[in-house]
Amino acid sequence: MLKDGKVFVIPCSGIGKALGTVGRAAMYEVVEKLRPNEATTVCLPLLTIRDEAVLKLARNNSCISVDGCPFQCARKNIESSKGKLVASFVVTDVLRENRGLKPEGVTELGPKGLKLASILAEKIAGRIDEINNNR
Amino acid sequence: MTIVKDKVGVVSCSGEDLPEGTISRIATRLVLEKLRPHDTVTICLPLFLAGSEDERAFARVFPTIAVDGCDKRCAEVGTKEYSGKPVAVIVVSEIMKKYPHLKTKSRDNLSAEEKKLAIKVAEEIAAKVDEILGRKK
């Protein structure tokens, strides 16, 4: 499968809070713009329902969870799937470091929310570089 | 356990890997925020696994619509497995067959065409909400 060998960035995509959208937007920025050759994603709900093909990918490749809130659904779903979790990010931590960048809403993040997503994306990309340098 | 009869739960797959997952997510939010804000509630699908029994009671408390992007039907399967059987299922890829002129490409920023499709899906969800609540709009 083409995705094998890449780092999997898996956001919670929480639909109830704007911070879930920030995690999702950060993931797209990483896998489509910052590190398209090194990173990819997979649908988190496929881990939730224990899809065999996706379980195999998560167990055989490095996974980074990106969660919107302290429930950390992405991290917990990867862990309970016995996926190879190598790093975890929580949007609330990044917001705490950038208090002025509160997103507007779940559907539209607005300029501040998008900026917050970009800051998070840079952090994720940096972690991917570290993972790949240590291989 | 109290069964809530005047609100409908909407659980979206929000699948990250496909444009249809983004459509399911945006359509669900349109219903929650604009089309039926007083009649609907939601929960994050992965929270069924990550959360507590309180979260897993969701589909037993609210009659629930699963909104799925593709035929893997994660929202339907996950809701049924962890919480309760959804009373209705909407699959974006099925609805897309009715609108072959509306194409999906982006997983991130929806184009005007993709937004139109999200609105069509949202309208189908809203109609299902009305049906479940026994209302005519």
Side-chain angles (χ1 to χ4, degrees):
Chain A
M1 193 179 281
L2 285 173
K3 291 188 171 198
D4 253 331
K6 291 187 175 183
V7 176
F8 282 71
V9 183
I10 306 177
C12 71
S13 291
I15 196 164
K17 298 182 179 80
L19 298 182
T21 307
V22 172
R24 186 180 178 96
M27 175 276 290
Y28 285 131
E29 194 163 331
V30 173
V31 305
E32 293 181 356
K33 293 175 187 162
L34 299 180
R35 300 292 183 275
N37 299 318
E38 294 86 10
T40 186
T41 193
V42 71
C43 296
L44 178 63
L46 284 169
L47 281 182
T48 307
I49 68 163
R50 304 285 190 247
D51 180 89
E52 281 298 327
V54 172
L55 283 177
K56 198 172 168 189
L57 284 173
R59 287 169 183 167
N60 292 342
N61 296 279
S62 298
C63 297
I64 296 176
S65 63
V66 185
D67 281 298
C69 78
F71 275 112
Q72 299 201 55
C73 292
R75 181 178 66 79
K76 289 176 184 171
N77 274 261
I78 295 167
E79 284 177 344
S80 70
S81 302
K82 297 184 171 53
K84 199 194 288 182
L85 185 69
V86 296
S88 296
F89 290 89
V90 184
V91 179
T92 46
D93 293 340
V94 185
L95 182 60
R96 209 171 292 125
E97 296 164 4
N98 300 272
R99 290 184 186 275
L101 299 180
K102 197 174 173 196
E104 285 173 14
V106 181
T107 314
E108 298 289 341
L109 290 176
K112 289 179 181 175
L114 289 171
K115 175 71 179 163
L116 186 68
S118 290
I119 291 170
L120 175 56
E122 291 290 347
K123 286 175 181 276
I124 298 167
R127 191 73 183 88
I128 290 168
D129 295 344
E130 285 174 20
I131 292 162
N132 286 336
N133 289 339
N134 290 331
R135 275 184 176 167
Chain B
M1 183 180 297
T2 306
I3 297 171
V4 178
K5 292 181 177 170
D6 61 350
K7 284 196 189 293
V8 173
V10 186
V11 179
S12 169
C13 80
S14 294
E16 292 84 4
D17 207 13
L18 300 172
E20 290 85 345
T22 303
I23 302 265
S24 76
R25 176 183 174 81
I26 298 295
T28 298
R29 287 305 313 187
L30 284 172
V31 174
L32 290 160
E33 292 173 13
K34 294 184 177 164
L35 299 184
R36 300 295 182 271
H38 305 296
D39 302 326
T40 51
V41 290
T42 193
I43 190 169
C44 303
L45 176 61
L47 193 53
F48 282 145
L49 187 151
S52 67
E53 188 49 41
D54 286 349
E55 281 84 29
R56 284 189 278 274
F58 187 85
R60 298 191 292 277
V61 172
F62 301 102
T64 295
I65 301 170
V67 183
D68 277 306
C70 74
D71 62 7
K72 292 265 188 181
R73 294 179 176 236
C74 295
E76 180 189 7
V77 173
T79 303
K80 190 176 173 186
E81 183 181 336
Y82 294 100
S83 186
K85 190 178 177 189
V87 297
V89 181
I90 285 175
V91 183
V92 172
S93 56
E94 292 295 320
I95 294 174
M96 283 171 62
K97 291 175 187 167
K98 293 190 220 169
Y99 307 100
H101 59 291
L102 297 177
K103 307 287 182 199
T104 58
K105 279 182 282 186
S106 172
R107 301 182 296 183
D108 190 3
N109 295 313
L110 297 187
S111 66
E113 272 197 1
E114 289 159 341
K115 283 180 182 166
K116 276 185 197 169
L117 184 59
I119 291 168
K120 298 285 185 195
V121 174
E123 287 170 349
E124 296 223 8
I125 301 169
K128 196 58 82 177
V129 169
D130 296 343
E131 192 183 311
I132 292 166
L133 295 176
R135 294 174 188 165
K136 297 222 174 196
K137 297 254 177 173

